[in-house]
Amino acid sequence: MSFVEYGDTIKDGDTAIVFLGHESMFPVKVQHGSVTQTKYGVIRHSTDLIGKKYGSKVTCSKGGWVFILHPTPELWTMNLPHRTQILYSTDISIITMMLELKPGSIVCESGTGSGSLSHALIRTVAPSGHLYTVEFHQQRAEKAREEFREHGVEHLVTVTNQDVCKNGFGVSNIADAVFLDIPSPWEAIGHAKSALKAEGGRICSFSPCIEQVQRTCLAMEEYGFTEINTLEILLRVYNVRTVSLPIPDLGKAAEDNSSPGFDSSNPSHQGSSCANLQQGTVQFKSGVPLREVVGHTGYLTFATKS
């Protein structure tokens, strides 16, 4: 199993996603002899998972069922264990595009955190690119190494435990792009410039506060970066649901009543009149925004090495 290569069959040691619904899923490490408890009952790894195909519908001990999905960076972002605040798919998608990443790109990242963006970067630069990720916190760095090894991508990433603001990324003049998600990114701009290739390399800094953005932009100008711009992504999600509305009365019944030959004393005519006056309903699909909308997450500042 690898996060960058699809495998058909669930194997012992794989990380799989147990899918109970769009709002309910979780990762599980497949191990021979182990069991996983769900609200639908027990899943026995030896008999229910190992050897089955990814995407299979698995029946639990209580008669309910779940799907077992192959892990992807998108699914991992939704299910990973949070060691820090993470970036989600909305920001990740614009980062990978604006940094102009492609297979074979060399990327430097700090800090690693919970590895949400890291997995997406690795999948984007695979199979011939490489990610150099720096994490200040030793335990988080060790946990990231362990996860990358379990997910079959350790050959595409190098994890370093050091302070990027003091010691840099450990590489020079090779990176196509640099990403910063640290409290004081302006202190690492000089090291980012040193890590980037001779010219044309791209840099992105993620900051939740506008004061951080201001200081970072000043540092980018000082080190000669060009095309500096900052953007903010606000996502508005709509629920698609069925709505029923009454059919408006446009006066058809009144016109029928006034037509020649209409006899209001005739019982059959009275029945048709009541039928015409009775309004029906029509159903249609409608998009309705959520009552609570996620607002500001952070500012993304991009620039190019001149």
Side-chain angles (χ1 to χ4, degrees):
M1 184 276 304
S2 171
F3 271 52
V4 297
E5 297 176 0
Y6 184 80
D8 287 333
T9 307
I10 304 171
K11 299 181 178 63
D12 188 14
D14 282 4
T15 297
I17 305 297
V18 179
F19 181 89
L20 293 83
H22 289 291
E23 302 297 328
S24 179
M25 62 184 91
F26 60 89
V28 61
K29 184 172 182 179
V30 179
Q31 293 179 313
H32 186 78
S34 296
V35 297
T36 296
Q37 294 282 350
T38 74
K39 63 182 180 181
Y40 301 125
V42 173
I43 301 174
R44 295 174 175 81
H45 294 197
S46 300
T47 57
D48 297 332
L49 299 183
I50 297 176
K52 299 289 182 65
K53 291 195 174 215
Y54 278 108
S56 297
K57 184 177 179 180
V58 174
T59 302
C60 304
S61 60
K62 293 182 181 178
W65 46 268
V66 299
F67 288 105
I68 308 299
L69 305 180
H70 192 284
T72 65
E74 291 82 5
L75 289 174
W76 187 244
T77 291
M78 298 171 64
N79 295 281
L80 58 77
H82 285 234
R83 300 183 289 273
T84 59
Q85 292 289 334
I86 69 169
L87 290 175
Y88 290 92
S89 299
T90 307
D91 288 312
I92 291 173
S93 60
I94 197 71
I95 289 169
T96 55
M97 183 188 75
M98 295 293 286
L99 289 181
E100 302 173 4
L101 300 182
K102 59 186 182 299
S105 294
I106 306 296
V107 187
C108 292
E109 175 198 25
S110 182
T112 312
S114 301
S116 173
L117 176 64
S118 304
H119 283 82
L121 294 176
I122 291 170
R123 197 261 307 273
T124 302
V125 304
S128 55
H130 201 83
L131 172 66
Y132 293 90
T133 183
V134 178
E135 174 55 53
F136 174 79
H137 194 277
Q138 182 179 359
Q139 290 180 335
R140 288 201 293 261
E142 293 173 354
K143 186 61 179 177
R145 288 194 193 98
E146 179 185 341
E147 285 181 349
F148 293 142
R149 183 170 56 253
E150 290 178 353
H151 298 166
V153 296
E154 72 276 8
H155 61 293
L156 297 170
V157 57
T158 300
V159 182
T160 305
N161 173 220
Q162 64 187 28
D163 186 351
V164 70
C165 296
K166 294 181 179 179
N167 306 113
F169 293 93
V171 297
S172 300
N173 302 318
I174 64 170
D176 297 289
V178 170
F179 177 79
L180 299 174
D181 183 6
I182 55 178
S184 52
W186 55 90
E187 296 181 0
I189 299 300
H191 294 296
K193 183 177 181 180
S194 300
L196 287 168
K197 59 187 181 183
E199 60 178 335
R202 295 280 286 165
I203 183 174
C204 174
S205 174
F206 177 90
S207 297
C209 302
I210 195 64
E211 292 81 6
Q212 294 171 303
V213 174
Q214 292 170 334
R215 296 189 66 175
T216 302
C217 289
L218 290 174
M220 288 178 174
E221 288 182 345
E222 181 182 345
Y223 280 96
F225 283 89
T226 60
E227 300 178 345
I228 302 172
N229 66 87
T230 299
L231 56 88
E232 178 186 25
I233 302 173
L234 299 177
L235 178 66
R236 191 176 188 189
V237 179
Y238 282 75
N239 278 337
V240 178
R241 67 184 189 186
T242 302
V243 177
S244 297
L245 288 179
I247 299 174
D249 181 5
L250 301 179
K252 185 174 185 300
E255 294 176 1
D256 292 343
N257 292 350
S258 62
S259 61
F262 180 83
D263 183 3
S264 59
S265 62
N266 190 323
S268 62
H269 286 182
Q270 290 177 355
S272 63
S273 176
C274 293
N276 289 335
L277 289 173
Q278 184 179 4
Q279 294 183 345
T281 59
V282 61
Q283 292 185 336
F284 61 93
K285 296 291 184 181
S286 176
V288 180
L290 301 180
R291 291 181 180 271
E292 296 181 2
V293 179
V294 177
H296 172 79
T297 57
Y299 299 103
L300 293 170
T301 301
F302 296 91
T304 303
K305 183 178 179 180
S306 176

